[in-house]
Amino acid sequence: MGGGGGGLTWAQLRDVRCAELEGAADGWGKASNRADAARDRIDKQLLAGLTASQEGEAARAAAGRLRALGRNFQYIYTECGLVRTALNSLAQELRGTQRRLWDALEEAAALKFTVGTDGSVSYPEAGENPVTEKKLRGGTASGHAYPLTAPSSEFTSPNPLAPKAQDIADRIARALSDAAETDARYTRTLRKLIAQDGLKVTDAMWTDVNADATAVRALATDYLDAAIPHDATPAKRLAWWQGLTEERREEYLAVHPDTIGNLDGIPAAVRDAANRDNLALLMGKLEGAAAEDDRSRTMLAGLRSIDGQLRAGGHPPMFLLGIGDEGNGRAIVSYGNPDTARNVSAYVPGLGTGLDETFAEDDLKRARDTLVGAAEYDSSTASIVWLGYDAPQLSVDDITGNTDVMFTDHAEAGAPAYGDFMSGIAATNHHENPHLTAVGHSYGSLTVGQAAQRDGGIPGVDDIVLVGSPGTGADSAADLGVGRDHVFVGAAENDPVTRAPAKGEAQGMGMGALGGASAGAVLGGPVGAVVGGAGGAAVAYFAQDAQTAESEIWFGTDPAHEDFGARRFRVDEGPRPIMEMGGVKAHSNYFNPGKDVTSADNIARIVVGDYRDVQMDERRRG
């Protein structure tokens, strides 16, 4: 079109063929799709086959080259997709501006006005001079894109056609100005969408891709983002996605993988594809900040660990259902496809959890262990770890300064997000009546409990499993929306978190001691007020005898107590804190079949609805 400014004429704007821009966009789209297909073949066929059948140094070297090639194709897919959307968005904007110009020209023709090459509008004589009884002279109106900036005039032609001509001239000028601004804006962005010679994708290039994606998203706000049903229910979002053309879906995945990948109600396979692309963009973004920012460096390490596990493939297959760098980080990973599985569980981790290497290793393993155990009883199972909220990240000052800082606000904030996620799982699942289980560990059990106490409970959930729980904020299992018989509790006798004293008692016993705070930063629940680093842990452990007769613990009634009314399943008592040099390991063993096979097996059976063979334990009394 031209570079903008005074170089653009109305004739050029009138004759712009937006369909040709869309044709060019289609070409870029085909290139993007071919790159995506090549990457998919490398990851799911060549690489998977190689790693499954070959071992040794040569095989590892070949796998490394294939991963690099797959990354290159991913880069091409993303950049070509961005060009496609930029061109389509440009065509849409220009088509709207062009339509306004055409309307002005058609009105001028109907009034028999003449439009000059400079956009001015000449009108004929009309009306009548009351003195001479002659027609009033015609004239020419010069357009102004912004009429308020037009030079003032004390004389306005009495010719009744003058105001109409001025309006048309102003509309033509405004269309030209808007088109020139659009042209310049898209030109700046498109000129940045280039690749270096001899394509070999580096971390720095992904940092650049993240900037490119941000720029194109800003351009395409009206074209794509405005149509996303952000405030709709998951079921309506699913219907929206299913109603899109294949080309429009491809554009959303290329330009808005961050949004589509984290939108509850979008099918799992689509979310996985979007989030794997967004993962690369996030790593590129954090790579640019990691050198000087501890938070970025920590989160980048977690993302790289997740990326490595995803690329390694294997069984059970992994689905990345959510990823983000807001707050302490977001990551939702499923082992098995939650859309096709008959049984789906979603585990919420507790205090101190953030998007880092520990989460990528330990919390993902807990979800995988649950899947592997449940698959022994029903292969149609998927197991999810859900870090979709900011778990508390306690500091020493938090705990030593005020024991009331053992708050519920993080759980209350996370509860709606967890409920929406489970509603999305229920909406996209292919089975008429899937079996859904909400699992909360430590402070995560409070988050699950808060979600369950919202109006309508947790959508679609049949069972709730609480392990290592300091309370749910509820007085009774009946308050959690699934019925007492479908609330299951695992509480190791040597897990101090499940015996956290009531807040008033904790304050009286000095549970906010410095040693307790140090350990609390890495454990679930209000561990800082209960478990100490050395002697503090022993004090906290033996403080169980000081609990109230009413079974009150930190966040309401003890879920393992008979007053709560849940079904307590058997777990290993775990190593005693400190005295047997066990630390607080009993708090972390519930999912691990290598350390607590009874607990892990019971959780697996509950997840598949095999209640008869769950080994039950007596509830606490007194």
Side-chain angles (χ1 to χ4, degrees), residues 245-563:
T245 64
E246 189 62 32
E247 179 182 359
R248 187 53 61 93
R249 290 180 189 174
E250 291 168 358
E251 289 194 82
Y252 274 115
L253 289 172
V255 179
H256 286 288
D258 56 330
T259 300
I260 300 303
N262 291 286
L263 198 62
D264 297 320
I266 300 299
V270 176
R271 291 181 71 163
D272 177 60
N275 282 317
R276 289 182 188 233
D277 291 332
N278 191 39
L279 176 59
L281 295 176
L282 282 175
M283 289 192 294
K285 173 184 176 181
L286 295 174
E287 182 72 34
E292 299 179 358
D293 180 18
D294 288 341
R295 173 183 173 277
S296 296
R297 187 161 48 251
T298 297
M299 202 172 292
L300 180 60
L303 291 175
R304 284 175 171 166
S305 178
I306 293 173
D307 182 59
Q309 294 178 56
L310 289 168
R311 291 182 182 278
H315 188 78
M318 296 173 65
F319 290 79
L320 188 59
L321 304 182
I323 200 73
D325 64 344
E326 60 267 39
N328 298 317
R330 302 286 187 269
I332 306 171
V333 177
S334 178
Y335 288 90
N337 188 336
D339 288 354
T340 60
R342 184 166 44 250
N343 307 290
V344 182
S345 67
Y347 142 64
V348 183
L351 185 146
T353 307
L355 182 50
D356 54 20
E357 283 188 283
T358 299
F359 168 82
E361 295 171 4
D362 295 348
D363 289 286
L364 264 64
K365 181 180 182 300
R366 288 172 178 169
R368 189 181 189 281
D369 284 344
T370 298
L371 182 282
V372 172
E376 293 183 10
Y377 307 112
D378 190 338
S379 60
S380 183
T381 302
S383 176
I384 300 167
V385 53
W386 184 86
L387 182 61
Y389 79 124
D390 280 328
Q393 307 289 307
L394 297 184
S395 70
V396 172
D397 290 340
D398 286 333
I399 299 172
T400 58
N402 181 6
T403 54
D404 280 336
V405 79
M406 302 305 175
F407 24 60
T408 62
D409 55 340
H410 291 273
E412 291 168 355
Y418 183 70
D420 287 346
F421 175 76
M422 295 304 288
S423 179
I425 292 297
T428 59
N429 191 277
H430 298 174
H431 295 271
E432 183 176 352
N433 187 28
H435 180 245
L436 307 185
T437 305
V439 182
H441 175 236
S442 197
Y443 187 92
S445 69
L446 175 63
T447 303
V448 169
Q450 293 296 300
Q453 292 174 77
R454 291 170 56 83
D455 289 343
I458 305 175
V461 165
D462 301 286
D463 293 302
I464 291 175
V465 176
L466 310 169
V467 290
S469 177
T472 63
D475 295 326
S476 168
D479 298 332
L480 301 186
V482 295
R484 290 174 180 266
D485 288 345
H486 290 276
V487 178
F488 296 85
V489 177
E493 286 305 305
N494 289 327
D495 179 358
V497 178
T498 69
R499 294 180 175 274
K503 295 179 183 178
E505 294 175 341
Q507 291 169 333
M509 293 184 294
M511 288 296 144
L514 178 61
S518 299
V522 296
L523 299 171
V527 183
V530 184
V531 183
V539 171
Y541 177 69
F542 287 116
Q544 58 187 290
D545 293 333
Q547 292 188 59
T548 63
E550 293 78 14
S551 69
E552 182 81 6
I553 60 173
W554 198 274
F555 293 121
T557 305
D558 176 7
H561 197 276
E562 63 179 359
D563 290 351

Side-chain angles (χ1 to χ4, degrees), residues 25 82 103 110 168 171 219 223 229 293 299 322 384 426 561 581 599:
L82 292 176
D103 289 343
I168 293 173
R171 285 155 57 194
L219 289 176
Y223 176 61
D293 180 18
M299 202 172 292
I384 300 167
H561 197 276
M581 302 305 292
S599 175

